[in-house]
Amino acid sequence: MNILLVLTSHDKLGNTGEKTGFWLEELAAPYYAFLDAGATLTLASPKGSQPPLDPKSDDPSAQTEATRRFRADAAAMKALAHTQKLADVSLAGFDAVFYPGGHGPLWDLAEEPLSIALIEQAIQTGKPVGAVCHAPGVLRHVKGVDGKPLVNGRQVTGFSNSEEAAVGLTEVVPFLVEDMLKANGGHYLSGADWQPHAVTDGLLVTGQNPASSEAAAHALLNLLA
């Protein structure tokens, strides 16, 4: 079982002058859910090498058992420092694809043709795709075989408008994940803010927020079982 994890390479939080990137828990929790289930993992990003970490996800208050395990895991930290370039990755060797969130993907992966094509190819060839928190934003321009948005008619979730408002970034992000999913015809389902909530529809798994990372990973594993 080979799983590809795709991370953002974008590190600027709009025009705020602050940094962003991927959210540590949203990588660490799925990483160990997959690894402990016996999967072989490959990390990739648009630019390759070390992807930017959202500094807020490194705050002591944001740490979990999985993030502490990841930080102490030399093999995991090495894999993170040497992500493959997305352009060099072939889907052929993988059974599933998973996108950790953080605000970064809203700027690069949502618009990245290589990522869009990767997701479309995965779904067309029967390989599940998972995305958590802001990462469902990568589905913005992804189309199904019918030419309509992939999320059209599907049950989906992602970072909610109320959660974005709570972190004060509604006017900073290039688009709101919840609004985009709805505009593309998705049946958006949300749980309570900050509580675990993952949705599976066909081969697509989406998680609402950082707390949903592990649930989304296990949902993806269920599709591979």
Side-chain angles (χ1 to χ4, degrees), residues 2-225:
N2 295 306
I3 300 176
L4 176 66
L5 293 104
V6 183
L7 295 153
T8 182
S9 291
H10 183 87
D11 69 349
K12 292 182 177 64
L13 188 61
N15 298 319
T16 63
E18 296 179 26
K19 293 293 188 181
T20 190
F22 74 92
W23 197 263
L24 183 57
E25 181 183 2
E26 295 168 29
L27 169 63
Y31 185 93
Y32 289 112
F34 298 147
L35 196 70
D36 294 346
T40 299
L41 305 177
T42 300
L43 275 57
S45 61
K47 294 181 180 178
S49 301
Q50 176 76 50
L53 174 69
D54 187 313
K56 292 188 179 73
S57 75
D58 223 13
D59 188 84
S61 65
Q63 302 318 298
T64 64
E65 182 181 344
T67 63
R68 288 186 283 270
R69 181 180 173 188
F70 195 93
R71 281 291 192 191
D73 185 337
M77 293 298 289
K78 182 178 180 181
L80 180 61
H82 298 90
T83 67
Q84 294 188 20
K85 277 189 179 179
L86 204 51
D88 297 335
V89 172
S90 167
L91 182 66
F94 297 99
D95 301 300
V97 185
F98 191 89
Y99 286 78
H103 283 88
L106 299 184
W107 278 274
D108 64 349
L109 289 169
E111 308 297 329
E112 172 54 63
L114 290 170
S115 176
I116 294 165
L118 180 78
I119 297 168
E120 291 177 346
Q121 185 186 356
I123 297 295
Q124 288 167 17
T125 54
K127 298 178 179 182
V129 175
V132 67
C133 198
H134 286 89
V138 305
L139 303 170
R140 188 181 194 187
H141 301 300
V142 177
K143 299 288 194 288
V145 290
D146 58 2
K148 296 178 181 177
L150 180 66
V151 301
N152 183 63
R154 290 180 189 260
Q155 294 187 339
V156 287
T157 192
F159 206 57
S160 67
N161 289 352
S162 57
E163 287 168 324
E164 199 69 80
V167 298
L169 295 174
T170 300
E171 303 301 325
V172 173
V173 293
F175 62 92
L176 294 168
V177 175
E178 176 181 337
D179 284 357
M180 179 278 291
L181 292 171
K182 289 176 177 176
N184 280 357
H187 297 308
Y188 180 84
L189 305 172
S190 64
D193 286 1
W194 315 115
Q195 297 305 304
H197 179 69
V199 176
T200 301
D201 193 318
L203 293 169
L204 185 62
V205 173
T206 47
Q208 182 175 329
N209 48 35
S212 308
S213 303
E214 188 170 359
H218 283 295
L220 191 78
L221 287 170
N222 288 340
L223 292 177
L224 291 171

